[in-house]
Amino acid sequence: MSKILFVLTGADHWTLADGTLHPTGFWAEEAAAPYEAFKAAGHEVVVATPGGVVPTVDKGSLAPDYNGGQEGADKVARTLASMTELQRPLKLSEVNLDDYAAVFYPGGHGPMEDLSTDADSGRLLTLALESGKPLGVVCHGPAALLAATREDGSNSFAGYRVSGFTNTEETQAGLADRAKWLLQDRLVEAGVDFQEGEPWAPKVVVDRNLVTGQNPASSAPLAAELLKKLA
């Protein structure tokens, strides 16, 4: 059994361009689906957040509309309730990558608020990338890649093929025109080779040890790719 590190946002809001605090956190399906897959394969999950704060789930992500109906919403809620690891996260600054076989970042708008500028997370991502260990990042999770910079100021992920939540999806979700910045734009500016698929359809991109997913629907297929790399 291997240990897999889940790095979650510690933010419970996303600051919009006009200063409004949009309630958010991590997206339920993006944590729950990979958690179930990793646990079913016999792996242990450890959670870390900035400052070791207990992560907040985006309440919207628990709605039936985002989970294929009430049955799906109930299933996700049950999974989150079973994730006792969420209640005792490590401090991200104290994480030792050597203790883990893989690293996974779920999304939600929370990472746009904190992980996008978190130096501890940025260092961990750079180390994970260089280690060759499987590294999975999904939806808005790739906002964390923006903090992964080298001494010369370049981004550690520049030149890598990466997917993430697209401008089109943010627009269709109704928040693009209220955001300070858009994830796709910032990743392109950082030098990554952004891979855009159909809105809301599963899309997983594998480039060396990095596995990224575009949206919530990509979280389960992304977990399957990570498990292949751990086999």
Side-chain angles (χ1 to χ4, degrees), residues 137-207:
V137 195
V138 68
C139 200
H140 286 92
L145 307 189
L146 299 172
T149 52
R150 302 188 187 280
E151 288 184 7
D152 64 2
S154 65
N155 190 281
S156 300
F157 292 85
Y160 276 78
R161 290 183 299 113
V162 172
S163 193
F165 205 66
T166 65
N167 290 354
T168 300
E169 287 165 323
E170 202 72 84
T171 299
Q172 292 179 1
L175 287 166
D177 61 350
R178 301 176 63 197
K180 288 182 180 178
W181 49 272
L182 297 178
L183 179 60
Q184 180 175 348
D185 291 346
R186 288 288 299 275
L187 288 171
V188 170
E189 288 169 11
V192 308
D193 181 4
F194 192 87
Q195 305 285 304
E196 180 175 1
E198 289 298 313
W200 313 108
K203 181 174 180 63
V204 175
V205 175
V206 182
D207 189 343

Side-chain angles (χ1 to χ4, degrees), residues 2-164:
S2 300
K3 282 186 182 180
I4 300 176
L5 180 70
F6 272 42
V7 179
L8 272 71
T9 175
D12 62 4
H13 66 272
W14 177 32
T15 307
L16 301 177
D18 64 359
T20 300
L21 303 185
H22 177 71
T24 186
F26 70 89
W27 196 260
E29 179 184 3
E30 294 167 24
Y35 178 85
E36 287 191 317
F38 298 148
K39 294 291 278 190
H43 299 295
E44 180 182 346
V45 169
V46 177
V47 170
T49 63
V53 302
V54 174
T56 299
V57 63
D58 187 315
K59 300 295 190 294
S61 69
L62 297 171
D65 286 354
Y66 290 114
N67 292 285
Q70 189 62 52
E71 186 177 338
D74 292 344
K75 181 175 184 293
V76 165
R78 283 196 301 272
T79 300
L80 290 185
S82 75
M83 291 174 67
T84 55
E85 299 89 348
L86 291 171
Q87 302 306 314
R88 41 185 172 83
L90 302 178
K91 290 181 180 178
L92 194 49
S93 60
E94 297 176 358
V95 164
N96 183 349
L97 181 63
D98 293 342
D99 296 337
Y100 304 97
V103 178
F104 172 65
Y105 278 65
H109 280 108
M112 302 277 280
E113 184 73 21
D114 62 352
L115 296 179
S116 62
T117 57
D118 190 287
D120 294 318
S121 173
R123 280 190 292 270
L124 177 69
L125 284 165
T126 298
L127 287 172
L129 191 68
E130 293 174 346
S131 74
K133 293 180 179 184
L135 171 60
V137 195
V138 68
C139 200
H140 286 92
L145 307 189
L146 299 172
T149 52
R150 302 188 187 280
E151 288 184 7
D152 64 2
S154 65
N155 190 281
S156 300
F157 292 85
Y160 276 78
R161 290 183 299 113
V162 172
S163 193

